[in-house]
Amino acid sequence: MTTADQPVRAPRRDATENRAALIDAAKTCLQRDPDASIETIAAAAGLSRRAVYGHFPSRDDLVREVVTAGAARIAAAMPTSSDLQELPPAARLAAIAVTLWSEVSHVRSMARVAVRSPFAEPVAEVFAPLRAQVRDACALGITEGTMRDDVDPATLGRLVEGACIAVLDEATRSGTPDEDGRRMVVLSALGMAGIDWRTALLSEPVAAPSAKEPA
C-alpha cells in the first residue's frame, strides 16, 4: 500500500476537544477583551500556553479562525437576493443594516476585531456576496434617482459599509442600547446613501430579525 492509499487517521478525541475548547475560550475572552492574550485564552480553556501552539501557530491564527467562523454565521443569516428583490433600494439597505446589527449587537467587541487588520481580508471574502447586494441596491437607487449620484455604486457601497462600522464602533464605546443602535445603523447607512434621515426612518423594518446565538 502506498502512502497515498493509507487511510487518514482521525485526530485523537482529546486533541479535537482541546481545539474546540480553545475556540470557545477565544470567543469568550475576545468578546470581553479584544486584546486578550494567548495565556488568558489558554487558561480559560484549561490548557497551557504551549498547548495552544500545538493547534494554532500564532494568536492571529486562532483569532482568524474565530472571526472567520463568526463572519460565516452572520453571512448565512443575511437576507438573500430573493428576499430583497421586491424591495425598493432604500428598504434593501435598511433590511441589510438591521439584520447585520441584530447579528452583531450581542458580540460587538468581536465584530470590531473582525473588521480590522489583519483579519479584514478573510472576513471580506466571506462577506463578498453581501457587499454585492449593497452595491446592487446602491446602483438601483442611483438609477432611480433616490440615492446620491456623485459617486459610482461600488464606492457608495463601501461608504455605506463604513457608516455601519462607524455605528458599531460608537455603540461599543458608549454602550448604546440595542434599539437605539438598530435605528442608528439604518439612519447612518441610508444617510450616507444620500437619503434624508426622516425619509430613512420610513424605510426601517418594523421588527428586527431574531439574532442567533453565536455558533
Side-chain angles (χ1 to χ4, degrees):
M1 180 181 292
T2 66
T3 302
D5 294 329
Q6 293 175 356
V8 177
R9 188 171 63 183
R12 292 184 306 165
R13 182 176 178 82
D14 59 345
T16 301
E17 290 178 346
N18 286 346
R19 183 183 178 89
L22 282 169
I23 292 172
D24 286 343
K27 290 178 185 176
T28 301
C29 293
L30 292 169
Q31 172 58 20
R32 191 164 51 235
D33 175 12
D35 296 318
S37 66
I38 279 288
E39 290 82 3
T40 299
I41 295 171
L47 298 170
S48 67
R49 183 176 188 273
R50 183 175 181 178
V52 178
Y53 292 115
H55 297 278
F56 300 97
S58 70
R59 178 184 181 279
D60 280 357
D61 288 294
L62 171 56
V63 177
R64 184 176 294 107
E65 174 140 342
V66 172
V67 299
T68 303
R73 175 188 62 78
I74 292 168
M78 299 304 294
T80 64
S81 296
S82 59
D83 293 331
L84 300 174
Q85 64 182 356
E86 300 300 325
L87 297 177
R92 293 187 190 189
L93 291 185
I96 290 170
V98 164
T99 305
L100 185 62
W101 175 260
S102 298
E103 291 295 318
V104 306
S105 62
H106 59 295
V107 287
R108 298 181 193 183
S109 294
M110 276 299 302
R112 291 178 73 196
V113 170
V115 297
R116 305 303 182 196
S117 181
F119 313 113
E121 185 173 342
V123 169
E125 292 178 5
V126 174
F127 282 146
L130 176 60
R131 283 192 163 108
Q133 290 179 336
V134 172
R135 184 181 63 246
D136 290 347
C138 291
L140 183 59
I142 291 171
T143 299
E144 293 183 349
T146 57
M147 292 184 184
R148 57 188 289 188
D149 60 2
D150 59 316
V151 292
D152 60 84
T155 299
L156 185 55
R158 289 190 294 270
L159 292 173
V160 168
E161 177 186 346
C164 293
I165 293 173
V167 170
L168 176 63
D169 284 342
E170 174 58 26
T172 304
R173 276 194 298 267
S174 60
T176 303
D178 188 66
E179 187 62 25
D180 290 346
R182 176 178 182 267
R183 184 174 61 257
M184 283 168 55
V185 78
V186 171
L187 294 180
S188 295
L190 296 189
M192 183 58 71
I195 297 173
D196 172 79
W197 71 272
R198 294 177 181 83
T199 304
L201 280 175
L202 300 177
S203 297
E204 182 184 356
V206 173
S210 299
K212 297 180 177 65
E213 291 299 318

